[in-house]
Amino acid sequence: MAHNLKNLIFKGIDEGVIPTLMDFIRVPNLSPLYDNEWETNGRMDQAISVITGYMDSLNIRNFTKEIIREPGKAPILFGEVQASQPGLGTILIYGHMDKQPHFTGWIEGANNTEPAIIDGKLYGRGGGDDGYSLPTAALLVKTLQTLEIPHGRIVIIGENEEESGSINLKHYLTTLKDRIGEPEVTFCLDSGIGDYEHFWITNSLRGVLKIDVTVRLLNEGVHSGSSGVVPDSFRILRQLLDRIEDSKSGEILLPELHAQIPPEIYAQAAATSSIIDEAKSVSWVSGGKPVTEDRVLQTINQTWKPTLCVVGAEGFPTLQNAGNLIRPYTSVRLSIRLPPGINGPAAQERVIQELTRDPPYGAHIEIKTAKPMKDGGFSLYPLGSQNPFKEPLKNISEKMLFTSESEEVFI
């Protein structure tokens, strides 16, 4: 059974899912936050057609689907597979089809909209986040039916606003509540794995704050000969960020953004880091190093510690056009990751307080934010309690897909 299951899945991925993802990557659709013309340019519908076309090609028994549309809201896919064995309960599977903005810095031979397979890996915008989710879900259902493995009712939700903060997902789920029913388990196919020898599940996830900060000191630019009299807005911004983060260590300085990390998390991090080396997944320049060489702390840092990154900037000319001018303002977008259990709105308010209090040199500080999640991050089950997924996933891993003798780990 396990051998046939693996063979069918791998064959289906190679012959169906990968070609579908390559077509999907070629569509330059972006999440609504990054495409002001998403309602009229047809790219979102084109991407939906690529995904649903593959799902239709599988001829899944008792499968129906609908693209639900409402004015001003990105459409959502609702799919339903009737149970082959009533009584097994309902499973909800989630994925999304919208993409983050295009960017530079791709590996040689790859770019945003031209898919490329390099060293056995598929490159292109949206393939891994999150184009694979819905085709893979459909393939899994088809494989169950091909092998005549009984399954319960399966509901598939395909969103188009995830990269924009899922601003209408709650509305759609509320509208579809009666049609969805009461799932016994929900699988969100929008995460990652550490290797191909273990069955991985995301046990916790950090939340995020998106905060745009503008430091404005002048009404118009002045010659840099005025430096020494006129402060640079970028230097003021550096002072503000130093209130939030220790720039030498990367440690967040606001206690309200830190969570109490339970002892079991360190034990889980130690087990996880014995299997995977997080730093090896990054393409470093020659001599580049991680924040810490301690693999356990690397895992803790990216799962249970708050962090700050500057992910965008405005107010700067290109290097080619940069003259000897003191710019009137500097704007940056901050991406602040929050550990599980941290109240998102409260954390955002605390950050804003630090950024706006007592502005150096009387600068004007302008703040724009996206609505934060109530809970900054999430933990799959109450900390300190027994993991309810441990034994079921261990059985699935051993009997259906994998044969690893390693101790199971959760992080």
Side-chain angles (χ1 to χ4, degrees), residues 1 15 81 153 298:
M1 174 72 74
E15 297 180 359
V81 184
R153 178 172 169 267
Q298 288 176 8

Side-chain angles (χ1 to χ4, degrees), residues 21-64:
L21 289 181
M22 296 180 80
D23 288 341
F24 179 74
I25 289 169
R26 293 186 180 100
V27 181
N29 65 302
L30 302 179
S31 196
L33 182 64
Y34 309 106
D35 182 2
N36 292 331
E37 300 178 353
W38 68 268
E39 292 184 88
T40 57
N41 60 26
R43 294 172 180 173
M44 185 177 292
D45 286 337
Q46 187 179 354
I48 293 173
S49 295
V50 171
I51 299 300
T52 57
Y54 170 74
M55 299 174 79
D56 289 339
S57 73
L58 294 175
N59 295 315
I60 299 171
R61 292 194 301 272
N62 299 318
F63 172 58
T64 58

Side-chain angles (χ1 to χ4, degrees), residues 11 20 39-40 51 53 61 88 112 115 123 153 179 182 186 189 191 203-204 208 213 222 261 282 294 297 314 374 377:
K11 184 174 185 291
T20 298
E39 292 184 88
T40 57
I51 299 300
R61 292 194 301 272
L88 287 181
N112 293 286
Y123 290 84
R153 178 172 169 267
R179 296 176 66 180
E182 297 185 7
T186 297
L189 301 182
S191 189
N203 201 56
S204 64
V208 64
V213 185
V222 298
I261 304 177
V282 179
D294 188 315
L297 289 182
E314 291 181 354
K374 181 178 179 181

Side-chain angles (χ1 to χ4, degrees), residues 69-372:
R69 303 176 185 272
E70 293 190 17
K73 299 179 177 64
I76 195 168
L77 166 69
F78 178 84
E80 183 178 12
V81 184
Q82 297 300 325
S84 66
Q85 183 174 314
L88 287 181
T90 295
I91 293 175
L92 175 61
I93 301 177
Y94 165 91
H96 69 86
M97 294 172 277
D98 57 314
K99 304 172 186 175
Q100 294 190 37
H102 294 170
F103 69 104
T104 58
W106 286 89
I107 187 174
E108 184 177 355
N111 63 45
N112 293 286
T113 57
E114 285 298 327
I117 297 178
I118 302 173
D119 295 331
K121 299 177 181 178
L122 175 62
Y123 290 84
R125 204 57 164 145
D129 184 17
D130 187 37
Y132 81 94
S133 58
L134 301 180
T136 301
L139 174 63
L140 291 173
V141 175
K142 179 63 176 179
T143 303
L144 291 176
Q145 294 184 347
T146 300
L147 295 177
E148 298 184 349
I149 299 174
H151 62 79
R153 178 172 169 267
I154 299 171
V155 174
I156 299 175
I157 295 290
E159 190 191 3
N160 279 291
E161 294 177 305
E162 195 275 342
E163 305 294 358
S164 298
S166 297
I167 55 177
N168 292 302
L169 180 60
K170 183 177 180 179
H171 165 79
Y172 277 125
L173 293 179
T174 301
T175 301
L176 295 168
K177 180 179 179 180
D178 292 339
R179 296 176 66 180
I180 293 173
E182 297 185 7
E184 294 190 2
V185 63
T186 297
F187 292 98
C188 178
L189 301 182
D190 190 15
S191 189
I193 63 172
D195 61 21
Y196 294 102
E197 284 70 49
H198 295 79
F199 193 100
W200 293 84
I201 186 168
T202 300
N203 201 56
S204 64
L205 193 67
R206 292 187 296 175
V208 64
L209 299 178
K210 293 181 180 179
I211 302 178
D212 294 347
V213 185
T214 297
V215 176
R216 192 181 303 274
L217 191 64
L218 302 173
N219 294 319
E220 58 186 22
V222 298
H223 195 276
S224 62
S226 297
S227 59
V229 175
V230 179
D232 179 49
S233 60
F234 182 73
R235 180 164 66 88
I236 297 173
L237 175 65
R238 288 163 55 195
Q239 294 179 50
L240 298 181
L241 295 183
D242 282 344
R243 300 174 179 179
I244 309 298
E245 176 199 52
D246 182 329
S247 58
K248 291 184 178 180
S249 67
E251 186 77 8
I252 296 299
L253 302 176
L254 305 181
E256 296 87 348
L257 272 61
H258 288 264
Q260 185 71 31
I261 304 177
E264 64 261 29
I265 295 299
Y266 285 95
Q268 292 171 5
T272 301
S273 61
S274 70
I275 298 172
I276 58 175
D277 186 346
E278 301 289 354
K280 286 187 176 180
S281 66
V282 179
S283 179
W284 303 95
V285 299
S286 177
K289 298 179 180 179
V291 172
T292 173
E293 300 288 350
D294 188 315
R295 287 169 58 172
V296 176
L297 289 182
Q298 288 176 8
T299 301
I300 291 292
N301 284 350
Q302 70 171 17
T303 55
W304 279 86
K305 298 276 282 187
T307 54
L308 181 151
C309 297
V310 175
V311 296
E314 291 181 354
F316 295 87
T318 63
L319 295 180
Q320 183 177 358
N321 295 324
N324 292 315
L325 186 76
I326 299 178
R327 298 168 298 101
Y329 74 95
T330 297
S331 295
V332 296
R333 171 165 291 180
L334 307 180
S335 175
I336 301 176
R337 290 288 172 176
L338 299 177
I342 297 299
N343 182 282
Q348 179 172 278
E349 182 61 30
R350 184 69 183 90
V351 172
I352 293 174
Q353 287 176 359
E354 284 300 308
L355 292 173
T356 56
R357 67 172 174 83
D358 301 324
Y361 304 105
H364 291 188
I365 312 301
E366 303 165 11
I367 302 291
K368 293 183 179 180
T369 64
K371 184 178 180 181

